[in-house]
Amino acid sequence: MLCEDTRRSGILLERYGIKKRLVSYHQFKEKQALNGILKWLEEGRDLALVSDAGTPCINDPGQLLVEACIARGIPFSAIPGPCSVIQALVVSGFDTSRFQFLGFLPRKPEAVLQQAVCYPGTTVAFESPERLCDTLEAIAVIDPERKLAVAREMTKTFEECRRGLASELLSHFQAHSPKGEIVLLIQGGRGKEEAMDLEELVQMLQELHGLSLKEAIKLAARFKQLPKSFVYNQIHQK
């Protein structure tokens, strides 16, 4: 059994009386361990990959192994289990019919957040507890009226989901230091953008969100569900 953390996996297996050889397989040794694991699989061994918390490959080890198995024609399967992205999306109460997942936000997330608030569906991202308040401050400046949800420790003992504006959530987490694994959700917003014509929308995206003309055209095309070339031609003909 391949384990992101053999100590955590060992607790689970011991509880159910399962005795298997545990092999450490985490992000710092994925590449080094890959050839040996593929050799075992090609020899006909059955292996299971268990991540520390959540679903393998979703910001957890496993993607390199999946890609290698596909390339070599090695059959594999996935068994559904806890996934903080989906769990947080469900408990947030936001639209689940259309969403985007950004993984971990960068240390300077402003540019990413400016685009996220323009996305018509729900945006889901991971954030560290140490940077959560800084990110909430950034969203409070970018779009103070946008509804957010902060889901913490999904499917674990201290699971929590708080919903509100960035300023409200910021006040709470400044008073109660966040801990554990954090999922940040941004409710989709398509209101005034839909009513704007293309020129107004592109101008708003540039002025309000600091995007270049090229970036604004690309985002406007996505908002209006139009080809980027069409929006480009409309803007440059004026």
Side-chain angles (χ1 to χ4, degrees), residues 94-131:
F94 297 161
D95 181 22
T96 61
S97 64
R98 184 175 186 180
F99 66 92
Q100 63 174 351
F101 175 56
L102 304 180
F104 275 98
L105 292 173
R107 289 185 176 275
K108 295 182 178 181
E110 286 78 7
V112 172
L113 294 172
Q114 285 172 342
Q115 295 190 39
V117 297
C118 292
Y119 179 67
T122 303
T123 295
V124 186
F126 291 155
E127 183 56 289
S128 71
E130 294 78 17
R131 294 202 300 267

Side-chain angles (χ1 to χ4, degrees), residues 45-61:
R45 298 193 191 186
D46 291 326
L47 299 178
L49 171 61
V50 181
S51 58
D52 185 6
T55 301
C57 300
I58 308 299
N59 272 94
D60 272 328

Side-chain angles (χ1 to χ4, degrees), residues 11-223:
I11 294 171
L12 177 64
L13 296 180
E14 183 178 354
R15 179 163 184 166
Y16 289 96
I18 300 173
K19 295 183 179 180
K20 293 289 182 181
R21 178 189 173 190
L22 305 184
V23 178
S24 179
Y25 184 75
H26 50 73
Q27 62 175 326
F28 301 109
K29 65 180 299 183
E30 276 190 279
K31 291 183 179 179
Q32 302 93 305
L34 188 60
N35 287 334
I37 292 170
L38 292 173
K39 183 178 179 181
W40 287 340
L41 291 171
E42 289 174 333
E43 290 173 352
R45 298 193 191 186
D46 291 326
L47 299 178
L49 171 61
V50 181
S51 58
D52 185 6
T55 301
C57 300
I58 308 299
N59 272 94
D60 272 328
Q63 185 173 342
L64 288 177
L65 181 56
V66 167
E67 292 174 352
C69 286
I70 292 172
R72 298 198 184 195
I74 299 173
F76 65 92
S77 183
I79 300 174
C83 178
S84 61
V85 174
I86 301 302
Q87 177 78 1
L89 182 63
V90 171
V91 301
S92 71
F94 297 161
D95 181 22
T96 61
S97 64
R98 184 175 186 180
F99 66 92
Q100 63 174 351
F101 175 56
L102 304 180
F104 275 98
L105 292 173
R107 289 185 176 275
K108 295 182 178 181
E110 286 78 7
V112 172
L113 294 172
Q114 285 172 342
Q115 295 190 39
V117 297
C118 292
Y119 179 67
T122 303
T123 295
V124 186
F126 291 155
E127 183 56 289
S128 71
E130 294 78 17
R131 294 202 300 267
L132 177 61
C133 287
D134 290 339
T135 297
L136 292 174
E137 283 184 345
I139 298 174
V141 172
I142 295 169
D143 193 341
E145 299 303 316
R146 184 60 58 93
K147 292 182 179 179
L148 309 175
V150 174
R152 194 175 63 83
E153 293 289 272
M154 290 290 93
T155 77
K156 300 180 186 178
T157 303
F158 300 104
E159 178 178 314
E160 173 189 37
C161 183
R162 289 192 169 271
R163 307 162 190 85
L165 304 179
S167 58
E168 296 169 340
L169 294 171
L170 179 60
S171 296
H172 171 79
F173 287 112
Q174 283 176 333
H176 305 85
S177 183
K179 298 179 181 179
E181 296 188 345
I182 305 291
V183 185
L184 174 65
L185 302 101
I186 302 173
Q187 188 175 48
R190 293 188 71 177
K192 60 182 180 181
E193 292 87 354
E194 287 184 320
M196 291 180 177
D197 64 28
L198 287 174
E199 187 174 10
E200 290 175 328
L201 179 55
V202 169
Q203 184 177 355
M204 184 276 289
L205 291 171
Q206 287 182 278
E207 294 178 354
L208 185 59
H209 301 297
L211 302 181
S212 67
L213 178 59
K214 181 179 179 181
E215 292 171 330
I217 288 174
K218 182 178 179 181
L219 202 54
R222 193 183 342 169
F223 258 119

